[in-house]
Amino acid sequence: MGTVTVETWGTIPKEVGNLTSLIFLKISNNILQGHVPNEVGLLNQLKCMNLQFNELSGEIPSSL
């Protein structure tokens, strides 16, 4: 499995919840703002999520 590194900005889109087979979500070291959408809780296969070093605000969704 390869790794792709891309610096991104903006917000985490609600559509991330459509990635139901996703196991790892690493979007650290970016310029993401806003909150983590509740739809992240739909990622039933998710084992690891790294969001550190962004500009996110708010609480972690209870759906996680």
Side-chain angles (χ1 to χ4, degrees):
M1 179 185 326
T3 300
V4 176
T5 302
V6 176
E7 185 174 291
T8 189
W9 62 94
T11 60
I12 301 172
K14 294 180 200 179
E15 291 80 11
V16 73
N18 295 333
L19 304 172
T20 55
S21 297
L22 194 67
I23 298 172
F24 298 100
L25 177 61
K26 181 182 180 220
I27 47 177
S28 60
N29 297 302
N30 287 285
I31 312 168
L32 296 174
Q33 298 177 340
H35 65 280
V36 179
N38 289 328
E39 288 77 5
V40 172
L42 299 173
L43 305 176
N44 296 326
Q45 302 297 316
L46 192 66
K47 302 293 182 203
C48 180
M49 180 172 66
N50 185 343
L51 304 174
Q52 67 184 7
F53 304 117
N54 280 291
E55 298 176 13
L56 297 168
S57 60
E59 297 183 16
I60 296 171
S62 60
S63 57
L64 288 175

